[in-house]
Amino acid sequence: MRPAARAEAAGRPAPVTYWLSHAWLGTHVEPGVALDVSDGLIAGVRTGVPTPPPGATVLRGLTLPGLANTHSHAFHRALRSTVQVGSGTFWTWRETMYQVASRLTPDSYYDLARAVYAEMALAGITGVGEFHYLHHAPGGTPYDNPNAMGEALIAAAAEAGIRITLLDTAYLSAGFGDRPAQYREPDPHQLRFSDTTAEAWAERASLLKGGGHALIGAAVHSVRAVPADQLATVAAWAEERQAPLHVHLSEQTAENDACLAAHGRTPARLLADHGVLGPRTTGVHNTHLTAEDIALIGSTTTGTCMCPTTERDLADGIGPAAALQRAGSPLSLGSDSHAVIDLFEEARAMELNERLRTRTRGHWTAAALLRAATADGHAALGRAGAGVIEPGAPADLATVALDSVRTAGPAPRLAAEAAVFAASAADVRHTVVAGRHIVRDGRHVLVEDVPAALASAIAALHR
């Protein structure tokens, strides 16, 4: 029996060789690279291979490590365009979000998430961090399977062919109360988010099973949604499992003001005082920080996930990403509310936002922005060692066309700059996960018609 046939019979991915016309190897663009893949991992990287070896699968364009979407709320995809009618703030946008959340069931969430994750695969995303807090039925009654919603997301990612880190989220209160250290009970829309206590959250989250394409992590929704005296329970759960821990941090000034009034300290300081910050923790947004906050986040090596397309869509503001990185906070990127799903847009928006704010150019090189979109993003999701094209790394790849109307023209040595500063998700031609072709020539091989799947799943929530 041939090696490929033996691997298939054993249920493992067959060995395969990919020939990359151009590959991003972390520091430069290398022409003519052959990747030998075995058991879903890169077994060898051969440079100086000018033509495809016999039997190799050809990927023409610039092949990058697969992209990491570090922060996602899959159901927010159903809000696209709907929330662009009229005006308002984050808080008025949230009311529309609650309406969509109230209509989801495990079956309809699976349908929507499968389509959303397929859209991500089409955009070159091979791993997603799903910040999941939609746990129970409307009214807060647990499903017979208390993790039915989370398991629907894990199954949806598998069907779409991408990896998922399910960041199961503690969401216990509606915000700060009128007196110090007091919190308001969840409002009717939030009842399905809440497990009532951090201990009950931990008990339910402990039933989730990872493995294969799925990892299980934890999240604190925000300092307004988890009472301060329960933060340590969530942090301890993650520490015990060495799991990633994420938290929405200082996204709006109103939250900062309320935290100061309730506790006499900023959200970052409150989280630090209760053991939440640290190298396995990622603060999402980190928008409205004091100089002390920035130093605190950096000194604890807490990561920062910037979501520029959502932050600008919600009029939240521009976070101090450059200062955070200088302080020691690794940067990653997320599409969050999915106003668009395009990690190239997120990467360049981080740089261009900083240019607008400072009126100077060149805060990050294309290489640094690609690292945020790949290796550092995957590390924030608990997959250290992913996001690089090196032996031993997962064989997760994304190939960007270099002959589209957006990318044609630059010399191949500038392909990384073309990808970051000009390409879009529409320029992704191939996506490979664990050595398996998920997107081939711009078409998803597992979900036959992704636009139709999105349209059907979203229409069902707006009837």
Side-chain angles (χ1 to χ4, degrees), residues 44-186:
V45 179
R46 292 179 280 143
T47 58
V49 184
T51 58
T57 299
V58 175
L59 304 181
R60 295 195 183 278
L62 175 65
T63 297
L64 308 165
L67 306 178
N69 189 356
T70 308
H71 189 67
S72 163
H73 302 290
F75 76 92
H76 288 190
R77 176 61 177 83
L79 301 172
R80 189 181 294 181
S81 299
T82 301
V83 291
Q84 302 302 342
V85 178
S87 61
T89 66
F90 166 85
W91 306 101
T92 55
W93 168 90
R94 191 175 69 160
E95 294 304 313
T96 305
M97 179 269 286
Y98 285 158
Q99 294 299 321
V100 170
S102 69
R103 301 184 185 114
L104 284 161
T105 66
D107 287 342
S108 63
Y109 206 5
Y110 166 83
D111 291 340
L112 176 61
R114 173 177 173 269
V116 172
Y117 296 152
E119 181 181 359
M120 291 184 193
L122 288 169
I125 293 164
T126 59
V128 61
E130 185 61 39
F131 199 103
H132 167 58
Y133 56 84
L134 193 54
H135 301 305
H136 308 299
T141 302
Y143 291 103
D144 291 340
N145 172 1
N147 285 306
M149 296 294 268
E151 290 177 7
L153 293 166
I154 292 171
E159 289 298 310
I162 70 172
R163 304 181 193 272
I164 185 172
T165 299
L166 187 75
L167 298 160
D168 196 277
T169 303
Y171 192 134
L172 308 173
S173 68
F176 300 104
D178 297 328
R179 297 190 302 275
Q182 181 190 54
Y183 291 78
R184 292 184 286 116
E185 292 296 318

Side-chain angles (χ1 to χ4, degrees), residues 344-382:
F344 302 111
E345 176 62 20
E346 304 292 348
R348 67 173 157 264
M350 187 165 70
E351 164 68 23
L352 298 181
N353 283 352
E354 194 70 10
R355 293 183 186 185
L356 285 173
R357 190 168 66 155
T358 63
R359 290 181 289 176
T360 59
R361 304 175 76 241
H363 301 275
W364 291 278
T365 63
L369 293 170
L370 284 174
R371 181 172 181 83
T374 57
D376 285 347
H378 290 294
L381 297 178

Side-chain angles (χ1 to χ4, degrees), residues 243-267:
L245 174 61
H246 289 212
V247 55
H248 291 132
L249 178 55
S250 290
E251 185 177 0
Q252 298 88 28
T253 55
E255 179 179 89
N256 286 2
D257 294 342
C259 186
L260 282 166
H263 294 285
R265 66 200 78 181
T266 65

Side-chain angles (χ1 to χ4, degrees), residues 159-249:
E159 289 298 310
I162 70 172
R163 304 181 193 272
I164 185 172
T165 299
L166 187 75
L167 298 160
D168 196 277
T169 303
Y171 192 134
L172 308 173
S173 68
F176 300 104
D178 297 328
R179 297 190 302 275
Q182 181 190 54
Y183 291 78
R184 292 184 286 116
E185 292 296 318
D187 67 29
H189 291 302
Q190 297 165 334
L191 288 173
R192 69 181 312 190
F193 308 161
S194 177
D195 292 293
T196 69
T197 67
E199 289 77 12
W201 166 83
E203 183 178 353
R204 179 189 51 74
S206 296
L207 300 175
L208 285 161
K209 304 297 182 187
H213 77 295
L215 297 178
I216 307 301
V220 169
H221 180 273
S222 56
V223 294
R224 70 178 185 274
V226 178
D229 62 1
Q230 299 188 58
L231 291 169
T233 299
V234 183
W237 188 95
E239 175 67 23
E240 180 182 340
R241 292 160 178 78
Q242 294 293 287
L245 174 61
H246 289 212
V247 55
H248 291 132
L249 178 55

